[in-house]
């Protein structure tokens, strides 16, 4: 499955490198992290990483493969 995780703010390169398994797009005031997620455990791990880095998750969306 593919997911998009939209976070508040434009992530620095250092923060983007904390998600090597995902691609990213910077938008006005937001960053979208996206890529393949194999299961719920990986998804929860990504969300936990966002939380530990102090990122504000605005939206999580499953996208078509």
């Amino acid at each position: 499955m593919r997911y998009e995780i939209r976070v508040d703010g434009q992530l620095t390169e250092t923060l983007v490198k904390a998600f090597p398994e995902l691609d990213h797009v910077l938008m006005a005031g937001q960053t979208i992290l996206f890529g393949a997620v194999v299961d719920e455990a990986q998804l929860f791990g990504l969300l936990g990483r966002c939380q530990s880095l102090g990122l504000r998750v605005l939206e999580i969306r499953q996208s078509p493969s």
Side-chain angles (χ1 to χ4, degrees), residues 3-4 10 13 29 31 38-39 44-45 48 52-53 56 58 64:
Y3 277 88
E4 296 178 1
Q10 292 187 336
E13 279 301 313
T31 303
V38 295
D39 57 19
F44 290 133
S52 69
L53 293 170
R56 182 171 170 242
L58 302 173

Side-chain angles (χ1 to χ4, degrees), residues 34-60:
F34 60 93
V37 176
V38 295
D39 57 19
E40 283 186 4
Q42 184 183 9
L43 179 60
F44 290 133
L46 292 168
L47 294 175
R49 206 175 316 160
C50 288
Q51 182 180 25
S52 69
L53 293 170
L55 303 177
R56 182 171 170 242
V57 175
L58 302 173
E59 180 180 18
I60 303 166

Side-chain angles (χ1 to χ4, degrees), residues 16-43:
V16 167
K17 288 179 183 178
F19 300 92
E21 66 273 69
L22 299 177
D23 292 318
H24 70 283
V25 174
L26 301 175
M27 300 180 67
Q30 298 179 350
T31 303
I32 300 175
L33 301 166
F34 60 93
V37 176
V38 295
D39 57 19
E40 283 186 4
Q42 184 183 9
L43 179 60

